[in-house]
Amino acid sequence: MLRLTIIALAFSFLNASAQIPTPKEYFGFNIGDDYNLATYTQTEAFIKKLATSDRTKLVDIGLTEEGRHQWQLIVSSPENIKKLDRYKEISVKMARAEGVTQDQAKAMAAEGKTIVWIDGGLHATETVGTHQLIETMYQFVTRNDAETLRILDKVIILFTHANPDGQELVSSWYMREPKAEKRLIRDLPRLYEKYAGHDNNRDFFMLNLKETQNMARQLFIEWLPQIMYNHHQSGPAGSVVAGPPYRDPFNYVFDPMMITGIDAVGAAMINRLNSENKPGYTRLGGSVFSTWYNGGLRTTTHFHNMIGLLTETIGSPSPGEIPLVPSRLIPSNNTPFPVAPQVWHFRQSIDYSLTMNYAVLDYASRNSDLLLMNIYRMGKNSIERGSMNFWTPYPGRIELINTAFKNRPKKAVPDKPIAMTEQAGLMGGTSEIPSKYYDSIFHVPALRDARGYIIPSDQPDFSTAVKFVNALIRTGIRIEIAKSDFIIGKKKYPSGSYIVKANQAFRPHVVDMFEPQDHPNDFQYPGGPPVRPYDAAGWTLAFQMGVEFDRFLDDFDGPFELINYGEVQSPKGSMDASASAGYLLNAKSNNSFIAVNDLLKQGVEVYRLPEGLKDKNAAAGTYFVPAGTKAAGILAKDAADLGLNIAGVSKQPTSLAKVSTVRIALWDEFGGSMASGWIRFLMEQYRYSAEVIFSKTIDAGDLNKKYDVIIFVAGAIPAVIKETENNEPGNRREPKPEEIPAEYQATLGKITAEKSIPALKKFMEEGGNIVTIGSSTNLAYHLGLPIKNAMTEIGPNGIERRLPGDKYYVPGSILRMNLDSTQSATWGMSNKADVYFNNSPVFKLAPDAVISGKIKPLAWFGEENPLRSGWVWGATYLKGGVVAFEAPVGKGKLYAFGPEITFRAQSHGTFKLLFNELYSVDEIPKNVTLGKKK
Ligand SMILES: [Zn+2]
């Protein structure tokens, strides 16, 4: 009896976790045991076990692209879990800072809890990430030591699985090999995110993918955590972890407290590792990670005043070795505690991750009120900067100071050298440039930052502009909509226009989406090679999407109504149902192509107007759909769903070209090309039927029997001559057929000059069309077309070579190109467009190439400096360079686009350059009366 009571008492002191199995009991192995990975199916079931604890709340944040549930396990003390709504409210109010006084903020900071996001598994092959998440969740749900309890009392942890589909694929792939020692993660047969693979971490300002949308909702609408920690793998050779703080460049739109906030938490992380005798953490210049880019899961949080942390930790379920890298063994500020070369086991990586998670959470628990006050302060700062004259210190503005000083009027008697006084010495010295040169730039009203932006609803592709607005809304930006027409200055704006003002907490993100990124000229040493940005140098989403907007340097007002945070917009369409002859679909609107595909699928005839229609102000390439009940039904629905404004005509236009569907093939490769995956995504979004094909299908020949158009993204077609042509296609190794399951064997193989190119040439000669993007424009060289790489020079030995990096370098940036928009390939485009360019191919045409009809240029660089956003070094080399052309090849055609016209499914402004090529368009004799359609 007594014994029983003691047992009962003992149980009552434990929390509900008594029923929770250990990972070993549940999975059959400890997390981190060599040669063992858990699948998502297993992990999901284990998370549900953890969710029986009163320390947790399990939240389904949405479905993944493959249809799995994406879970977030919220962990805190049982008392906090009961009051989650209140703590969420405090967190959101503090981050938005709107209408919150300093005193109210102080009271909420005292009452509130720190919200910390910890994720795992975004990049699914980085298996440390998923597995540290499982282990950390388990420990925080079951441990009862004083530190864990203090953390649970002060912190609400949002444990979020970042890529369920990827974990299922990778773990099943690894575990399929029965012999543990033979297990390998490599040679994954397809992308670990359905469309984007590794690019799932480049989607956070565009938010194309379901997983991105799910996580962004939690980060930017629901919770607004003060700290977010994004786990990756792996650190540079000779280290264990690369972590915060990060190297330059620094994005100039940030609040400095965000950066110093990263410093503080980073210091806690490395300090705790060191105190636990865990060496090998490298930071700052010790790794390539910077705070420049927006668009990553971590990096987008920086533009929202959050302390966004990234670590890259080494590790593999199959034991490996830390290599000997002598230079890394010298302690420095980058790597204060170097690690010696040694054999390394998975569990060690899990333990490092646990230490770092604990360090972050310990810091958060000790500084709860401070963290809440700091995010409030940053929000207030942003609101203030957006409400006054403010000059972001971009390098371009600093350069203006230097230029103004250099070009100062010369005096008859030159200035005496500035004498060094004692006072000057005490102030750190003197500068040759008088302070008035600062005022000459930083107090000039015309140069100040914008107070806000208006996106007019009467722009040609408004439904794409609404997609841009929705990307802002999904990242928590405050947007207003005009309820009636209004006038600002001399310009009239229609009702339905969107207004984005800069006086809001997440001003850094607003500025970043509308304004150019001014990347510094970053070289390894003066005159030396450029330092590669970690990702893009420029990405301004409004430019990439071709959104028309006006920027205002003064505050403005109108009949504006606030849109609720997170409330996604749908554009309103219209249709002239009285049209007696037919309907016009605007060729400038991307969504028109969806409607065209719907019509063609249902057997409705569609035409294009090669000359446009002057009296309707319709540009060349406008679609014409003859009146008919079926057409009217489809168009009425699409007008409403897609926000199309469909005009009507009472007379059939005279000049018509018939549009027909074609059989589309999209190249891909074993393992999955991300660029191809993004186009696959676009094909689904815009309702094209495209078949994914691999090199074996191409090599088998007879392509005209199956396809009319084949699309090749960057990385597909190899170079002819390595010295002067553009980037080599990915040299990803391929497994032997017998090493992989039969279902993937047909996807092995590469495009070769010997077998594939002749098959492609024959395909075009017999009437097929090929669209090439990026380095796949190499095909033009294989065909011997009269073009050359424009980015070359004669080297010191008299031999032509590619321009070296110290003369010409353009990392991922947005450039402005000129177009011939009268061609069917460019219909719907204006004669200038912003395009995403990443050291992309640029061509020089042979003197008679155009006259002889061998090459028809479609786009070229016409401006002195085509840079719109990012970094161009050596702009003069670009001028006159052709970036897109078409060329007849037998009965077919080759379309070559040097820049990334479909970049990460972000560059909506240039999607039409692909879409236009995905139909056959046949001009019909003038003045033929079309038959009446039902
Ligand atoms: Zn990663």
Side-chain angles (χ1 to χ4, degrees):
M1 189 64 193
L2 181 68
R3 232 185 116 141
L4 272 176
T5 315
I6 290 169
I7 291 169
L9 261 177
F11 264 105
S12 72
F13 279 109
L14 293 173
N15 63 25
S17 68
Q19 287 86 44
I20 292 169
T22 65
K24 170 99 179 171
E25 287 162 353
Y26 184 78
F27 295 103
F29 51 85
N30 297 303
I31 296 301
D33 279 357
D34 287 344
Y35 305 114
N36 283 293
L37 291 180
T39 63
Y40 185 69
T41 306
Q42 293 167 331
T43 305
E44 185 177 28
F46 186 65
I47 292 173
K48 287 180 182 168
K49 297 264 182 211
L50 295 175
T52 59
S53 160
D54 58 1
R55 292 180 183 178
T56 67
K57 185 182 174 195
L58 184 61
V59 184
D60 183 354
I61 63 170
L63 291 177
T64 66
E65 289 290 358
E66 292 180 17
R68 292 184 177 84
H69 290 276
Q70 190 169 8
W71 297 108
Q72 177 179 71
L73 188 70
I74 304 177
V75 179
S76 194
S77 72
E79 296 68 40
N80 292 346
I81 291 290
K82 284 179 204 143
K83 293 188 345 199
L84 279 184
D85 285 349
R86 174 61 184 153
Y87 296 127
K88 186 190 266 190
E89 185 190 359
I90 291 174
S91 179
V92 168
K93 279 189 172 161
M94 294 294 269
R96 297 211 177 281
E98 274 158 15
V100 178
T101 65
Q102 180 85 1
D103 286 346
Q104 290 167 331
K106 273 192 182 153
M108 284 196 284
E111 182 193 348
K113 307 288 173 185
T114 323
I115 314 298
V116 179
W117 164 290
I118 293 180
D119 62 43
L122 180 69
H123 289 154
T125 47
E126 303 170 2
T127 52
V128 175
T130 15
H131 288 73
Q132 63 77 30
L133 181 70
I134 301 171
E135 182 68 24
T136 310
M137 287 190 291
Y138 172 72
Q139 297 216 8
F140 276 93
V141 170
T142 59
R143 274 171 66 165
N144 291 301
D145 55 281
E147 182 182 36
T148 304
L149 295 178
R150 170 167 47 79
I151 290 171
L152 292 172
D153 180 43
K154 288 297 214 175
V155 183
I156 292 165
I157 318 168
L158 310 176
F159 288 113
T160 307
H161 199 297
N163 182 2
D165 299 343
Q167 188 191 357
E168 193 71 10
L169 175 72
V170 169
S171 297
S172 312
W173 184 254
Y174 180 81
M175 297 301 285
R176 84 189 192 285
E177 168 59 53
K179 282 210 188 72
E181 290 74 17
K182 286 179 74 183
R183 286 176 188 155
L184 293 167
I185 289 169
R186 71 169 194 211
D187 299 336
L188 213 59
R190 62 177 178 87
L191 296 171
Y192 54 64
E193 196 289 335
K194 188 176 176 187
Y195 302 101
H198 198 81
D199 268 0
N200 65 351
N201 198 28
R202 308 288 182 265
D203 189 41
F204 281 83
F205 55 69
M206 184 71 244
L207 305 110
N208 277 315
L209 306 171
K210 290 208 171 84
E211 298 85 17
T212 318
Q213 294 176 6
N214 296 341
M215 289 189 277
R217 172 140 203 113
Q218 298 304 313
L219 282 169
F220 305 125
I221 310 292
E222 293 284 329
W223 280 101
L224 306 174
Q226 296 82 52
I227 300 179
M228 81 80 74
Y229 182 2
N230 176 222
H231 282 263
H232 285 262
Q233 189 179 334
S234 54
S239 73
V240 179
V241 185
Y246 309 100
R247 72 163 171 107
D248 283 329
F250 178 113
N251 200 303
Y252 313 108
V253 300
F254 291 152
D255 192 292
M257 284 174 73
M258 192 283 293
I259 292 287
T260 49
I262 292 178
D263 289 347
V265 186
M269 293 163 78
I270 186 168
N271 217 24
R272 184 163 180 139
L273 284 172
N274 292 349
S275 74
E276 292 180 10
N277 198 26
K278 291 186 169 96
Y281 185 105
T282 192
R283 55 186 186 166
L284 299 166
S287 82
V288 296
F289 306 102
S290 72
T291 53
W292 180 253
Y293 180 60
N294 193 339
L297 171 52
R298 164 202 52 134
T299 61
T300 301
T301 67
H302 295 163
F303 295 78
H304 292 74
N305 304 331
M306 296 175 193
I307 295 174
L309 307 167
L310 156 117
T311 54
E312 300 268 350
T313 310
I314 62 163
S316 157
S318 308
E321 217 172 288
I322 297 179
L324 171 62
V325 180
S327 61
R328 288 233 175 238
L329 291 173
I330 306 167
S332 68
N333 269 308
N334 289 339
T335 314
F337 188 10
V339 67
Q342 58 189 281
V343 173
W344 195 260
H345 292 275
F346 199 30
R347 181 69 210 187
Q348 289 173 277
S349 304
I350 303 297
D351 286 341
Y352 268 64
S353 304
L354 274 169
T355 299
M356 293 187 289
N357 287 337
Y358 260 92
V360 171
L361 292 166
D362 174 54
Y363 179 91
S365 75
R366 293 174 191 272
N367 296 284
S368 180
D369 52 345
L370 185 70
L371 286 160
L372 282 163
M373 275 312 282
N374 285 355
I375 202 167
Y376 165 75
R377 193 65 255 162
M378 288 187 263
K380 272 279 180 223
N381 290 344
S382 282
I383 292 170
E384 280 163 21
R385 284 172 196 140
S387 313
M388 60 187 225
N389 290 342
F390 188 79
W391 290 260
T392 300
Y394 297 117
R397 286 182 177 155
I398 309 305
E399 200 42 47
L400 288 175
I401 295 181
N402 289 323
T403 312
F405 179 64
K406 214 173 80 192
N407 298 339
R408 68 194 181 280
K410 292 275 173 290
K411 291 180 186 166
V413 184
D415 283 334
K416 273 190 224 152
I418 298 167
M420 184 78 155
T421 61
E422 182 195 85
Q423 209 50 36
L426 293 171
M427 298 309 287
T430 61
S431 163
E432 158 189 45
I433 309 181
S435 302
K436 66 177 184 193
Y437 286 94
Y438 177 87
D439 300 344
S440 77
I441 304 303
F442 278 75
H443 286 160
V444 173
L447 293 177
R448 74 200 134 144
D449 290 0
R451 294 280 187 91
Y453 308 86
I454 295 179
I455 301 168
S457 62
D458 57 357
Q459 60 186 285
D461 192 1
F462 186 59
S463 46
T464 293
V466 174
K467 290 174 194 176
F468 170 71
V469 167
N470 283 338
L472 298 179
I473 287 176
R474 287 183 200 280
T475 49
I477 298 305
R478 189 189 68 215
I479 311 248
E480 291 162 275
I481 186 167
K483 297 318 282 180
S484 55
D485 297 355
F486 62 101
I487 293 171
I488 293 182
K490 282 179 187 155
K491 190 164 171 182
K492 189 176 171 190
Y493 293 91
S495 162
S497 298
Y498 289 100
I499 295 93
V500 189
K501 290 210 179 171
N503 60 351
Q504 54 180 308
F506 306 145
R507 177 181 180 274
H509 194 70
V510 172
V511 173
D512 199 58
M513 294 294 100
F514 281 99
E515 301 286 340
Q517 282 80 44
D518 185 1
H519 194 283
N521 288 319
D522 193 9
F523 292 94
Q524 290 173 22
Y525 48 88
V531 179
R532 229 167 65 93
Y534 177 66
D535 196 81
W539 50 83
T540 311
L541 191 58
F543 297 176
Q544 279 202 70
M545 295 183 75
V547 174
E548 293 180 6
F549 65 89
D550 290 325
R551 60 198 292 278
F552 293 87
L553 299 180
D554 290 302
D555 195 18
F556 55 94
D557 215 345
F560 308 153
E561 190 179 279
L562 198 64
I563 293 168
N564 292 332
Y565 284 107
E567 202 173 280
V568 168
Q569 303 290 294
S570 21
K572 283 180 192 54
S574 66
M575 181 167 147
D576 179 358
S578 67
S580 54
Y583 310 100
L584 297 181
L585 275 166
N586 171 9
K588 290 179 184 288
S589 163
N590 287 348
N591 278 0
S592 288
F593 290 80
I594 301 181
V596 166
N597 290 338
D598 288 347
L599 292 163
L600 292 173
K601 267 181 212 155
Q602 305 258 351
V604 175
E605 285 189 359
V606 179
Y607 297 84
R608 298 195 83 160
L609 308 180
E611 292 160 14
L613 204 58
K614 285 224 170 62
D615 57 333
K616 289 278 173 184
N617 200 18
T622 298
Y623 285 101
F624 171 70
V625 184
T629 337
K630 204 173 183 182
I634 295 166
L635 287 174
K637 186 173 187 308
D638 280 348
D641 294 352
L642 305 169
L644 294 172
N645 293 309
I646 300 172
V649 282
S650 52
K651 210 173 109 229
Q652 179 198 309
T654 48
S655 168
L656 296 167
K658 189 162 194 291
V659 178
S660 320
T661 9
V662 292
R663 299 162 303 169
I664 306 164
L666 170 63
W667 170 89
D668 203 345
E669 64 181 338
F670 177 84
S673 146
M674 291 187 279
S676 174
W678 282 122
I679 292 189
R680 181 158 42 83
F681 175 80
L682 287 185
M683 294 293 97
E684 292 178 19
Q685 298 292 312
Y686 288 86
R687 300 182 198 155
Y688 289 92
S689 311
E691 184 186 334
V692 173
I693 63 166
F694 298 84
S695 64
K696 280 196 165 70
T697 311
I698 290 163
D699 292 356
D702 250 352
L703 294 165
N704 304 72
K705 278 194 184 150
K706 289 178 273 185
Y707 314 110
D708 302 300
V709 181
I710 308 177
I711 306 167
F712 288 97
V713 296
I717 310 278
V720 182
I721 312 156
K722 283 172 191 161
E723 276 70 37
T724 59
E725 304 323 333
N726 281 283
N727 342 332
E728 274 294 271
N731 44 3
R732 180 192 285 173
R733 84 172 273 289
E734 285 206 329
K736 296 191 184 78
E738 60 273 19
E739 291 169 352
I740 58 165
E743 59 178 305
Y744 296 113
Q745 289 173 5
T747 71
L748 290 170
K750 297 275 174 198
I751 300 292
T752 61
E754 299 73 36
K755 260 190 134 173
S756 329
I757 302 296
L760 294 175
K761 192 169 176 223
K762 188 155 177 281
F763 170 69
M764 286 184 280
E765 281 167 350
E766 293 177 8
N769 291 347
I770 290 183
V771 180
T772 56
I773 303 171
S775 68
S776 282
T777 55
N778 281 331
L779 184 55
Y781 296 106
H782 286 281
L783 298 172
L785 295 178
I787 54 156
K788 274 183 58 182
N789 181 354
M791 298 294 112
T792 61
E793 64 171 13
I794 304 300
N797 54 5
I799 295 171
E800 191 173 14
R801 62 172 190 183
R802 284 165 74 163
L803 285 165
D806 58 347
K807 289 190 174 161
Y808 166 73
Y809 182 65
V810 188
S813 293
I814 300 172
L815 307 190
R816 178 152 283 184
M817 61 179 181
N818 296 40
L819 293 112
D820 174 359
S821 53
T822 63
Q823 304 296 326
S824 61
T826 51
W827 277 340
M829 299 294 294
S830 302
N831 52 20
K832 284 187 182 183
D834 293 336
V835 69
Y836 190 85
F837 186 94
N838 184 7
N839 285 309
S840 303
V842 182
F843 309 99
K844 192 191 281 177
L845 310 185
D848 65 339
V850 179
I851 298 165
S852 64
K854 286 177 182 158
I855 301 281
K856 195 190 277 181
L858 299 173
W860 57 93
F861 290 124
E863 298 181 12
E864 287 307 318
N865 186 349
L867 178 65
R868 288 274 284 152
S869 181
W871 184 19
V872 166
W873 185 251
T876 47
Y877 291 103
L878 289 169
K879 193 169 182 203
V882 169
V883 287
F885 63 84
E886 65 173 71
V889 183
K891 286 187 252 170
K893 268 180 195 166
L894 172 72
Y895 295 96
F897 297 98
E900 295 294 329
I901 56 171
T902 54
F903 183 65
R904 292 173 180 163
Q906 292 169 4
S907 54
H908 290 247
T910 49
F911 287 171
K912 283 186 281 283
L913 294 174
L914 173 64
F915 295 166
N916 278 332
E917 326 315 338
L918 304 181
Y919 307 91
S920 85
V921 181
D922 305 295
E923 287 206 31
I924 60 168
K926 285 199 176 180
N927 301 318
V928 165
T929 307
L930 301 170
K932 265 250 181 262
K933 293 286 162 306
K934 282 188 183 169

